[in-house]
Every structure is written in C-alpha cells, then in structure tokens.
Amino acid sequence: MTDSIVRHGSTDSPERAAIMLCIQRIKPLIFPLWVSILFIIIAENILNGTIPNVFFTIAHILPECFLLTRTGLRVDINPPVWYLSAMYLSMLPLSYLLFKKNHFTLYIFAPLISVHLFGYLCYANDFSFEGTYFSYVVMFEIVRAVCGLSFGICAWVLSQKIQEIAQKYYIHFWLAIMEVLLYFLYFYVWFLAQENVLIMSVQLVLPIMLAITFSGESRLSHIFTFSWMKFFAPLSRSIYLNHWVANIIVAKLFADKNYLFCLATLICITLASCLLNYFLVFCIKKCMVSLKIKYLKR
C-alpha cells in the first residue's frame, strides 16, 4: 500500500490519477467481502433458529459494510474489513498529501505522526493490538492504519537512501548480516516473548527490516525478485480477508471436535472462501471492463 501511494503521490501525475489508481486496485475486493459477511449472518441465524433476526443483524453491521468497522459499534462479523477501511479512509488522503506537500510528508509528517501515534496506541491500549477502548474520533483501526502507512512511508524513504549509499560503497554483505540479525530478533521476540511491552517495542525494528529487504541491495533481497513471488501478495491478502469466515463456521459447527479436525476444516473452508473470492473478483472485473467499453462507445 505504502509503495503504491508513495510512487504515485511523488510523481508529477495529476492527483486524481494517483487516487483513482488506488481505488481501482481495491474496489473489486469489497463485494466479495460483503457476500462473505452476509453468508455468515444467514448461516448463523439458521443454525440458531433465529431467521427473522437476519435483517436486524444486517442493519447492525452497516458500519462494517460502509468500511467503518470497529468504530464503537463492535460487531466484528468480519474484522479483516478494517484493511479496506485503512486503504479508503487513510491511503487516499495520504496520496493527496504526498502530491501537494511531497517533501513535508516524506521527511516531517510521516516520521513524526508514525512515532507519536505508535506511542499513543501503546499507552492508551495497554500495549495491545486490540483497540477495545477506541471509538468516535480516535477510531482504532483508522489510527492504526495511519500509523502503519506512515511507518511504511518512512521505510520507503529509508530504502531509497540505502540504494543511494549502496551505489557508492560496497555494503551488500553487511546489509545481509544486519537483515538476518533484525529478522532473528523480531521473530524471536514475537514468538517467545510473554510480555506485550516487548512485542510492541520490537515493532520499531520492522520498518528498518522492510527497508533493507525491499531496497534490493541486500544479498537476501534477491529471493523476492523471482517472478513466482508476485503470486504471494494477492494470495496472502485473500487468506487474510477470508479466514474469519472459516473461523466463525468452525466455531459454530465443530466446537466439540478435536484440534486437528478443526484446523483441517478451517484450512479447507478458508481455501474455499478464497476460491469464491477470486471467482467473484474475476467476474466483477470483467463486468467493470465491459461496462467501461460500452460507456466509451457511447
């Protein structure tokens, strides 16, 4: 996301083209997610024998349908929808700001806002990733989105600086060593630490790791240059946006089953949801293209 807004917000192209490009990349994802949400609602009410409540539940989740998930109305039918909230409500203003005030955004706004919001999130929410006490103006997901995107902008700037330095000095070997050490530190703390403060603290290493990796100057960065790596981005995004559907279904239907059975079922339903998502996105894109062609012919 950050790479997209920085690249297209930093060029001399019209701001409308940059913003429309962001919208075109993510709008086909919205309808499949709404279908998933409605499927969960209908299935849950059928299982509970409360079919008349389907419409009440649909009304209750309207904030999520309009990309305002976790804004005080914590229904959490499909929490990953916050990802789209981040892109629509945070990515587009940042794109515009990058176009209008490029250097200010890259070197002043993004570093200051990322660190300050990160500190605010840590202390206001007891060093947790869940924004239980956030609502109204300081909507947790929006604050987290602006914080993450701003850190991403900082990582992008740092990666550009690494590329400039690497052209003058032979530091590829040392970058690879630093990259390995930082990844080891990050995942060691992430998986083994039992304290929220440690887990949140090590997040500050993440922008540096990403800057080294995606600068392309580290020896290890060449792993990401293989053509087949490009398929992992949409795949991981699809799994993230659809796994909650499987989680709800397994929790409702197979709560009494053993762990391995539930895990296997969770994987199968997630994959089925991803396939449905790909099919719907494909159909929507085809319809959009055909409608655009018809409109241009007129």
Side-chain angles (χ1 to χ4, degrees):
M1 280 193 290
T2 303
D3 183 67
S4 175
I5 64 175
V6 173
R7 285 184 183 278
H8 298 283
S10 300
T11 60
D12 294 330
S13 59
E15 61 265 36
R16 182 181 179 277
I19 293 175
M20 289 304 298
L21 177 64
C22 298
I23 295 176
Q24 289 170 5
R25 288 184 176 182
I26 58 178
K27 63 184 179 182
L29 295 171
I30 298 173
F31 180 72
L33 284 174
W34 285 353
V35 171
S36 300
I37 293 172
L38 292 175
F39 175 76
I40 294 173
I41 292 172
I42 295 171
E44 185 176 7
N45 282 276
I46 290 176
L47 292 172
N48 294 333
T50 56
I51 298 178
N53 292 336
V54 169
F55 298 103
F56 295 123
T57 311
I58 291 174
H60 200 192
I61 66 159
L62 283 177
E64 292 195 5
C65 292
F66 285 96
L67 307 178
L68 294 172
T69 182
R70 295 187 181 183
T71 59
L73 298 173
R74 295 184 57 81
V75 184
D76 287 348
I77 298 293
N78 191 10
V81 175
W82 89 269
Y83 180 85
L84 296 177
S85 303
M87 286 191 281
Y88 263 119
L89 303 181
S90 304
M91 188 176 178
L92 303 184
L94 283 174
S95 299
Y96 184 83
L97 188 60
L98 275 164
F99 179 83
K100 288 296 185 181
K101 301 289 183 181
N102 181 262
H103 286 276
F104 170 78
T105 306
L106 292 177
Y107 299 106
I108 298 176
F109 177 81
L112 285 177
I113 202 70
S114 58
V115 174
H116 280 77
L117 285 181
F118 184 75
Y120 170 71
L121 289 170
C122 288
Y123 281 98
N125 208 47
D126 194 24
F127 296 91
S128 173
F129 285 103
E130 292 297 325
T132 308
Y133 305 108
F134 288 78
S135 61
Y136 193 47
V137 178
V138 286
M139 296 181 290
F140 174 70
E141 305 300 352
I142 306 304
V143 174
R144 186 167 71 168
V146 175
C147 179
L149 287 169
S150 298
F151 267 121
I153 292 173
C154 296
W156 187 89
V157 173
L158 184 57
S159 69
Q160 301 302 303
K161 297 299 181 183
I162 292 173
Q163 289 178 357
E164 294 176 7
I165 296 172
Q167 292 175 1
K168 298 179 181 180
Y169 308 100
Y170 189 79
I171 58 172
H172 305 282
F173 175 74
W174 298 109
L175 283 174
I177 292 178
M178 184 182 296
E179 189 176 18
V180 170
L181 291 176
L182 290 177
Y183 273 107
F184 174 78
L185 172 65
Y186 183 84
F187 288 111
Y188 183 87
V189 174
W190 178 268
F191 287 110
L192 298 181
Q194 301 296 320
E195 187 179 353
N196 283 346
V197 175
L198 289 175
I199 295 175
M200 295 298 287
S201 297
V202 81
Q203 301 305 312
L204 293 170
V205 176
L206 187 59
I208 304 173
M209 294 159 40
L210 295 177
I212 296 174
T213 299
F214 292 100
S215 68
E217 301 299 335
S218 167
R219 296 298 185 192
L220 298 179
S221 300
H222 296 296
I223 298 174
F224 298 96
T225 61
F226 293 109
S227 58
W228 50 267
M229 289 295 292
K230 65 182 179 182
F231 297 106
F232 280 92
L235 178 62
S236 63
R237 182 180 61 189
S238 181
I239 291 173
Y240 173 73
L241 291 175
N242 290 280
H243 77 280
W244 200 257
V245 178
N247 186 47
I248 295 294
I249 295 174
V250 171
K252 290 290 182 181
L253 297 180
F254 308 111
D256 57 336
K257 301 293 184 180
N258 62 68
Y259 173 76
L260 290 178
F261 177 84
C262 291
L263 179 62
T265 307
L266 185 72
I267 293 172
C268 292
I269 297 176
T270 300
L271 291 176
S273 301
C274 291
L275 290 174
L276 176 62
N277 180 80
Y278 277 121
F279 175 75
L280 291 173
V281 170
F282 176 79
C283 293
I284 292 169
K285 285 183 176 180
K286 287 291 185 182
C287 292
M288 289 168 58
V289 171
S290 62
L291 289 174
K292 186 177 181 179
I293 293 173
K294 290 181 181 178
Y295 176 79
L296 292 174
K297 286 182 178 180
R298 292 180 181 178

